[in-house]
Amino acid sequence: MSKNTDEVLGHADESDGIEEYDNPLPDWWIGLFFLTIIWGVWHIADWHFITPTSNEAHYEAEMAAAAEQWPDLGKKAERDDSPETLALGKELYTANCVACHMADLSGGIGPNLKDSEWIHGGDYESVVNTLTNGVAAKGMPAWGPVLGPKKVAALASYVLSENTGEAPAAPAEEPAAAPEGGAEGTPTDVEAGPADGKAIFEKNCVACHKADLSGLVGPNLKDDEWIHGGSLEEIVATITNGVPEKGMISWKTQLSDEEIAAVAKYVFEYED
Amino acid sequence: MNVHVTQPETQGSAAPAVDYDEKIVKQFFTATVVWALVGMLAGVWVALQLAWWPANLDNPYTTFGRLRPLHTNAVIFAFAGNTVFLGIYHSMQRLLKTRMFSDALSQFHFWGWQLIIVAAALTLPFGHTQSKEYAELIWPIDIAIAVVWVVFAINFFGTIAIRKVKHLYVAIWFYMSFVLTVAVLHIVNNLSLPVSFTKSYPIYSGMTDALVQWWYGHNAVAFFLTTPFLGLMYYYLPKAANRPVFSYRLSIIHFWSLVFLYIWAGPHHLLYSALPDWAQTVGAAFSIMLIAPSWGGMLNGLLTLRGAWDRVRTDPVLKFFVVAVSFYGMATFEGPMMSIRPVNGLAHFTNWVVGHVHSGALGWNGFMGFGILYFLAPRIFGRIAKPSWVETHFWLGTIGIVLYIVSMWSAGLTEGLMWRAVGEDGLLQYPNFVSIVDRLNLFYWIRFLGGAMYLVGAVMMAWNLWLTARGGGSPDAELPVAAPAK
């Protein structure tokens, strides 16, 4: 700072009394400015011309390094029905899958995995594919990046080993419980009088519409918005025939007319 | 640089020859204090929601997604905006030795701007938004902003035209860059086709829209929160310190380099996006080159205090300014670092960004604003009701900022590192996003505490200034100012 002259310019009367020195720019400040300019120019030149690179090139280099370090990650592992692998599969299933597919694979929010019906293919390759990539449109997450091929293989082996190939049980699989920590009991535990709408609702509907009718996978049933009509008759019709394109099941083979009427009445009259 | 004085006038305690418009100054003074409380309260509220979700009151109008833009609009355009207008209407009349060009335009500007803020508060909670960050307001409000801004510009440049001095002081250059550039940024970014009274579509699409948005977004930081505040610093800091500005030449060099470089830096908000690589590189390069021009302002502020540092210990106004300028220097170093691709890869989308903007907003803008309010209060009202509270406010605010920034750095690094953590098996170590969010809760609470302390300080200030104003006292716009040391 020895170069500072500390001489005022003398136009304070034109700046409300504020005087100004005209001290030289600090050397280190000029040095810093030039350094950053050089850095900026060098960065542009380097990134595009000297060692031409790009975001894509960086990505590919990282992926190539990963492929070298973890060569098995991109490959599929073989089916393995050894007890150790199946035990690992069960463990993984319990940790990750039961919320939607139920502990006994009978399905809930996600489809039944023990019957003979496979929406996305029931051979080992197809199950691995579904597990690895998920089915985004239907809410099935991609487990490949999370579990890796070995664990996916263990999971697929476990699911296939548990698959009994039984005939699919009519259109409706009974959801057991609300996914958000509702009652854990199986549906058959619920003792319901034939016309007890509340019990029928809790037994069959809560997984999608929630116990307080606020909706989850299925729409909210306690607000004023009715997609398919809000009169008692319309509700009965919706329950009876379902809305297959949206995943609402037709209940006419599952419930008697009396039961449908009871549950419709319960929904229609529901209040918090 | 010898500009010859055409109208020699005695300065200091002599009665002002010009009849300045003090009413508009008082109006913006009041608005600054009121909107500070509103904006900061909204900020503390949304901070609480992140730590403890039931604070969203379980209805759509008060959820984070709607209150957060209300918070940012309130602190940027209401609090910081009114601070700048307060400072400009007060200082430019004195710097140019003239009353404002038109009192009517001043009033139109004041009331128009306040109505725009009220309109923002009445639309954002109801979900009416353009979904552009810092440009959320819907098109009818955007048009109102443009109209009010043009009126302000006419008044501003009209005042320069009728000035009684030849030389334009450095603060005025910075104000000019603000008035001109914000108009261009606002109008270009908000060009859109209305489809209803509350809904419009931008005329740009896809990546072009994103680039225009961040050209605007970054330069809102530059020309709404940086250059006008530097102008305020160039007036109020030497005034409060009663020292000559360190270097006229530094002020010229850093002004022009700052405004030239800033306008290119926007693409650093879009690193690793679909924006062409070369544009990303240019954004990063210009951001790095911004360090020295930004620090030029900090240097000229801090070095102006040479010979006055003993007074910084006792004068709370100077304390606010010193901390503000220091945070300005810190934030303008941190920003360029975050513009370097690999650093950005770690920092982007994390709470680090939130911490970064708040060292600017709370430290630089907030503390400059508080310092100016405390500087002006005795000059407008003749006294300050509770001087000791100013000191308390300063420490509450300073500790609050530190808690805020440190917790957000920690949260940002935590989540940034957890997102990318890969285990020995080559798989993500934390594939479950919620498990990462869970880790941040402690930091969110600390941030809430820091923000709450900052708000309490602001409430003390508002209460203090209200007592000050209510107590009356003779208006004394021109307190005696001792001749600057030679």
Side-chain angles (χ1 to χ4, degrees):
Chain A
M1 299 296 162
S2 54
K3 285 191 277 179
N4 292 339
T5 57
D6 281 358
E7 281 176 21
V8 294
L9 285 173
H11 44 214
D13 53 335
E14 293 197 293
S15 46
D16 196 29
I18 299 173
E19 284 286 8
E20 289 178 283
Y21 292 140
D22 198 22
N23 286 321
L25 310 170
D27 289 340
W28 68 266
W29 183 85
I30 299 176
L32 175 72
F33 199 6
F34 278 113
L35 264 180
T36 58
I37 292 171
I38 292 165
W39 189 93
V41 173
W42 172 80
H43 176 58
I44 294 173
D46 177 59
W47 192 269
H48 295 286
F49 304 107
I50 298 172
T51 49
T53 185
S54 64
N55 289 347
E56 284 85 352
H58 273 265
Y59 171 75
E60 277 156 20
E62 266 187 49
M63 294 305 279
E68 198 169 308
Q69 193 174 356
W70 299 291
D72 295 337
L73 264 189
K75 297 177 190 150
K76 281 176 184 144
E78 293 305 309
R79 179 169 178 177
D80 175 7
D81 281 351
S82 68
E84 304 81 51
T85 307
L86 291 184
L88 171 65
K90 184 169 187 186
E91 190 184 310
L92 291 165
Y93 185 89
T94 308
N96 298 299
C97 314
V98 294
C100 294
H101 296 283
M102 296 296 133
D104 64 351
L105 285 73
S106 64
I109 294 172
N112 184 321
L113 300 173
K114 63 181 183 184
D115 63 15
S116 62
E117 189 178 315
W118 291 95
I119 303 172
H120 306 289
D123 59 298
Y124 176 75
E125 284 292 304
S126 304
V127 174
V128 167
N129 271 340
T130 309
L131 278 167
T132 305
N133 304 316
V135 186
K138 295 184 185 167
M140 166 77 176
W143 292 96
V146 176
L147 299 175
K150 276 193 182 142
K151 287 178 176 175
V152 166
L155 198 45
S157 304
Y158 170 74
V159 167
L160 288 172
S161 75
E162 292 288 305
N163 182 272
T164 57
E166 69 197 38
E173 264 310 320
E174 290 172 334
E180 294 190 353
E184 280 296 314
T186 55
T188 46
D189 293 337
V190 181
E191 282 297 323
D196 184 348
K198 182 166 190 279
I200 298 168
F201 187 88
E202 283 170 356
K203 183 176 163 190
N204 298 298
C205 314
V206 293
C208 292
H209 295 284
K210 292 188 75 175
D212 66 352
L213 281 68
S214 61
L216 185 70
V217 178
N220 184 323
L221 300 174
K222 63 179 176 181
D223 61 14
D224 292 334
E225 191 179 319
W226 292 96
I227 304 172
H228 306 291
S231 71
L232 193 53
E233 293 73 26
E234 286 164 326
I235 296 172
V236 167
T238 306
I239 297 173
T240 306
N241 303 318
V243 188
E245 68 274 17
K246 294 185 185 167
M248 169 70 181
I249 296 158
S250 158
W251 290 92
K252 62 188 170 197
T253 58
Q254 309 289 305
L255 303 173
S256 68
D257 289 350
E258 188 192 15
E259 286 169 326
I260 288 177
V263 77
K265 190 160 180 288
Y266 173 70
V267 168
F268 183 70
E269 293 174 350
Y270 183 83
E271 278 173 34
D272 271 323
Chain B
M1 296 299 157
N2 280 327
V3 179
H4 290 289
V5 181
T6 50
Q7 287 185 321
E9 266 195 31
T10 51
Q11 51 171 311
S13 56
V18 186
D19 177 24
Y20 298 131
D21 183 357
E22 306 292 13
K23 183 185 165 198
I24 190 71
V25 175
K26 281 188 196 171
Q27 284 171 308
F28 276 116
F29 187 98
T30 309
T32 302
V33 177
V34 169
W35 292 123
L37 296 183
V38 173
M40 290 166 198
L41 179 66
V44 171
W45 188 358
V46 293
L48 179 61
Q49 291 188 8
L50 288 180
W52 185 64
W53 67 265
N56 71 20
L57 306 184
D58 206 19
N59 73 72
Y61 312 107
T62 50
T63 46
F64 184 87
R66 295 188 185 184
L67 283 190
R68 189 263 181 184
L70 188 68
H71 161 61
T72 55
N73 278 277
V75 292
I76 297 172
F77 299 109
F79 167 57
N82 278 303
T83 303
V84 172
F85 299 140
L86 161 68
I88 286 181
Y89 279 96
H90 173 257
S91 66
M92 89 178 291
Q93 297 190 75
R94 285 159 175 82
L95 285 168
L96 303 178
K97 285 193 181 144
T98 178
R99 197 181 175 90
M100 290 305 292
F101 173 66
S102 158
D103 286 2
L105 294 186
S106 299
Q107 288 302 314
F108 184 89
H109 176 205
F110 176 79
W111 289 109
W113 194 255
Q114 311 314 318
L115 279 177
I116 285 163
I117 298 164
V118 171
L122 292 179
T123 50
L124 292 171
F126 296 95
H128 297 296
T129 172
Q130 292 191 134
S131 316
K132 286 185 160 201
E133 202 169 9
Y134 314 127
E136 288 91 352
L137 302 178
I138 53 176
W139 70 268
I141 306 178
D142 287 337
I143 290 178
I145 293 173
V147 170
V148 170
W149 203 268
V150 168
V151 164
F152 170 48
I154 293 170
N155 202 15
F156 177 84
F157 287 105
T159 307
I160 291 177
I162 61 165
R163 70 188 190 272
K164 304 292 191 303
V165 299
K166 193 173 170 200
H167 177 76
L168 281 181
Y169 181 62
V170 47
I172 302 289
W173 320 335
F174 278 99
Y175 299 162
M176 278 199 269
S177 75
F178 160 68
V179 179
L180 274 178
T181 318
V182 169
V184 175
L185 294 165
H186 170 73
I187 290 170
V188 173
N189 187 43
N190 285 299
L191 289 177
S192 51
L193 297 172
V195 291
S196 75
F197 188 67
T198 55
K199 174 79 188 155
S200 64
Y201 289 93
I203 64 165
Y204 319 101
S205 60
M207 203 63 233
T208 313
D209 188 43
L211 183 59
V212 171
Q213 155 61 23
W214 285 109
W215 165 78
Y216 161 87
H218 189 71
N219 288 297
V221 176
F223 290 94
F224 206 96
L225 298 175
T226 303
T227 61
F229 277 85
L230 283 169
L232 299 179
M233 182 201 79
Y234 270 111
Y235 181 80
Y236 291 100
L237 190 143
K239 272 282 179 194
N242 195 22
R243 294 285 308 162
V245 171
F246 169 70
S247 173
Y248 177 65
R249 120 176 48 167
L250 179 59
S251 66
I252 296 178
I253 302 274
H254 98 87
F255 171 78
W256 284 107
S257 52
L258 191 78
V259 296
F260 171 72
L261 293 170
Y262 240 128
I263 208 86
W264 297 78
H268 71 211
H269 288 262
L270 296 165
L271 297 179
Y272 296 116
S273 72
L275 186 72
D277 259 19
W278 67 265
Q280 298 183 29
T281 312
V282 168
F286 275 80
S287 304
I288 290 292
M289 290 190 268
L290 264 170
I291 296 176
S294 303
W295 278 10
M298 171 184 69
L299 277 184
N300 234 354
L302 292 179
L303 292 177
T304 294
L305 293 171
R306 289 176 311 153
W309 282 101
D310 54 319
R311 295 199 27 231
V312 174
R313 276 199 293 275
T314 52
D315 183 351
V317 170
L318 284 180
K319 280 188 199 178
F320 274 109
F321 288 160
V322 166
V323 169
V325 172
S326 304
F327 273 110
Y328 172 64
M330 200 201 71
T332 53
F333 177 74
E334 188 183 26
M337 292 302 114
M338 295 166 84
S339 306
I340 300 173
R341 274 189 180 88
V343 183
N344 191 265
L346 175 65
H348 206 175
F349 303 121
T350 72
N351 282 293
W352 184 355
V353 177
V354 182
H356 168 65
V357 298
H358 280 85
S359 53
L362 300 175
W364 167 236
N365 302 115
F367 267 34
M368 279 305 297
F370 298 150
I372 290 168
L373 290 170
Y374 286 128
F375 175 87
L376 288 177
R379 285 162 177 80
I380 294 175
F381 305 109
R383 63 189 196 109
I384 279 204
K386 292 185 180 295
S388 65
W389 282 23
V390 182
E391 186 80 11
T392 313
H393 176 195
F394 171 79
W395 286 109
L396 274 174
T398 304
I399 297 169
I401 299 172
V402 171
L403 287 178
Y404 193 113
I405 297 173
V406 172
S407 62
M408 288 298 97
W409 279 338
S410 313
L413 285 173
T414 301
E415 60 188 328
L417 291 170
M418 285 175 83
W419 289 343
R420 57 164 57 172
V422 172
E424 281 182 10
D425 53 2
L427 297 166
L428 288 176
Q429 241 177 322
Y430 306 99
N432 186 349
F433 189 77
V434 175
S435 72
I436 302 175
V437 177
D438 240 14
R439 291 277 190 96
L440 305 181
N441 204 251
L442 174 65
F443 301 125
Y444 285 150
W445 276 113
I446 298 172
R447 184 259 299 273
F448 166 70
L449 177 66
M453 288 175 71
Y454 196 90
L455 174 66
V456 169
V459 170
M460 289 181 74
M461 176 189 76
W463 182 246
N464 194 356
L465 294 177
W466 192 71
L467 289 178
T468 301
R470 201 185 55 163
S474 57
D476 189 0
E478 285 294 295
L479 279 191
V481 175
K486 301 286 178 185

